[in-house]
Amino acid sequence: MPAPQEFLKYVEDHTDDFVDRLAKAVAIPSVSGEVAYRKHVFEMADFMYSELKALGCEEVKKVPLGEQILEGQTLQLPPAILASYGNDPKKKTILVYGHYDVQPALKSDGWETEPFVLTKHADGRLIGRGSSDDKGPILGWLNVIESHRALGLDLPVNLKMCFEGMEESGSEGLDDLIEDQKDKFFKGTDAVCISDNYWLNTTTPCLTYGLRGIAYFALKVSGPARDLHSGVFGGSTHEPMTDLITILSTLVLPNGKILIPGLAELVAPLKPGELERYENINFSIADIENATGSKTTISTDKVQTLMSRMREPSLSLHGIEGAFYSPGAKTVIPASVTGKFSIRLVPDMLPDEIEKLVAKHVASEFAKLNTKNMMHLEMGHGGKPWVADPDHWNYRAAATATEGVYGQKPDLTREGGSIPVTLSFADALGVNVLLLPMGRGDDGAHSINEKLDLSNYIKGTQLLGSYLHEVAALSE
Ligand code: BES
Ligand code: ZN
């Protein structure tokens, strides 16, 4: 059943109010990965809590998730916000998940505007950290509730909501909560919908049925008791940075090929008919060049490029803690350096197996160096890859809703990013999970000038509401 016209109209008519709601959220710099910002993550939790209360949700809870150690300090984890709206046994129950934390952002990183001030550009972009990842989408659900309430319309399903504040930092504490609450708050969930991803390009809506997992590593090499003068000690002392860079260079080739023995064998072979799925996706190399703002794509072949993102692993080198990085020239030998890298995982790779392969590989490469320095490898957060059944009614409802709002059939995609709790929900609740994106492929999540196009915010809100109506129609 299509969403009522009055709902669609209400959303359009209240564009300014909904943009204000997003502006308030973006103004709270809820960066989960840095100690100094933790208070703002709590502030954002309070914002979500009071918005949900004001919308008349029956049950709104801030659930504490315990403590973590960050930058050597013990910190309180931000709470999960659980809320429900409607509890009619005759209706289907949809659980929606999203995150209210964001990646770091500083104007000096190269932003055109203040990252935590939502700035409306004349071309329709709403620029600000978290606009697309993931504040726009989570507020989309709130906009849907508000519109129905204002119109005196019942929601066509029971809605349960779970919003977390640690997604960008490995979702610490959330798996335990899901396990603990699977027969309590989450009981009765018929399907899950997550809006925390993007279209592949700027024009074609999509539904996403797969995500890569992740294994994040920190490789520390240390030796000298303190930083040293390179003129005095260079040439006579083993240098941790030289050792580290030699090891890092044995992980991956510039063409993206991963060099860790045993890893490629874990990748599931292509299934019959799978290749066609990639061929059918509306995507071109120009889309990826537009999103990266460059012509640096490795392959010129569309299907290979899509497969690299959707069904093959990748290894990225992220940075070196302890390295000299300031402008100017400092003639220092850093005493201790930590290389950060991560591997995106696809079926059938599991983080624990990958950890063993990586540990074996770096130990054997380190032994070849004949260095007197020391090495220590640690795996940080890990998440398994996830693939769902896109023939499920949950996907059919979303496809029908997308056609209603955008007048286009959505592409079926898998994504290269990770949302580790996707699989936790699927496994713990035994239900289908759908990823239903709001933003476009060039939104710049995690990058400078992150934006959500106004039309995607408004149509995306209509889409989330329409999806709930189509779910209800399918269950009648
Ligand atoms: N919204 C992204 C996940 C995503 C990225 C979906 C790209 C589709 C395409 C999410 O907020 C995110 O960035 N997650 C982290 C998780 C990690 C810290 C465990 C990621 O993928 O790096
Ligand atoms: Zn996100």
Side-chain angles (χ1 to χ4, degrees), residues 200 209-213 258 263-279 281 302-314 344-349 385-387 413-417:
L200 278 188
Y209 66 96
L211 288 168
R212 293 196 289 188
I258 303 176
L263 193 138
E265 289 79 348
L266 296 173
V267 178
L270 268 175
K271 293 203 173 67
E274 192 183 330
L275 213 55
E276 269 168 39
R277 286 203 165 156
Y278 306 115
E279 280 160 1
I281 293 174
K302 162 189 151 179
V303 170
Q304 179 51 53
T305 301
L306 287 175
M307 291 205 301
S308 311
R309 172 152 160 190
M310 298 180 177
R311 60 125 39 242
E312 286 164 14
S314 60
R344 296 285 171 171
L345 313 181
V346 295
D348 302 312
M349 303 164 75
W386 160 80
V387 183
T413 67
R414 287 167 61 173
E415 258 300 355

Side-chain angles (χ1 to χ4, degrees), residues 99 103 133-134 167-171 196-198 211 214 309 344 381 415-420 435 445-446:
H99 61 95
Q103 285 278 320
D133 185 12
D134 186 30
E167 196 274 346
E168 299 291 6
S169 304
S171 293
D196 183 20
N197 59 312
Y198 329 97
L211 288 168
I214 189 168
R309 172 152 160 190
R344 296 285 171 171
H381 46 252
E415 258 300 355
S418 312
I419 310 172
L435 256 73
H446 296 205

Side-chain angles (χ1 to χ4, degrees), residues 434-451:
L434 153 80
L435 256 73
L436 181 57
M438 177 178 269
R440 303 184 191 177
D442 66 347
D443 282 356
H446 296 205
S447 184
I448 56 166
N449 304 323
E450 178 181 347
K451 57 89 178 168

Side-chain angles (χ1 to χ4, degrees), residues 384-404:
K384 297 174 190 165
W386 160 80
V387 183
D389 168 18
D391 295 324
H392 193 274
W393 57 256
N394 200 22
Y395 281 77
R396 288 205 304 278
T400 312
T402 305
E403 281 196 67

Side-chain angles (χ1 to χ4, degrees), residues 164-184:
E164 71 154 319
M166 277 298 283
E167 196 274 346
E168 299 291 6
S169 304
S171 293
E172 269 190 66
L174 200 64
D175 275 357
D176 291 343
L177 173 88
I178 295 171
E179 206 38 52
D180 179 58
Q181 292 290 321
K182 69 177 176 194
D183 295 318
K184 298 176 192 153

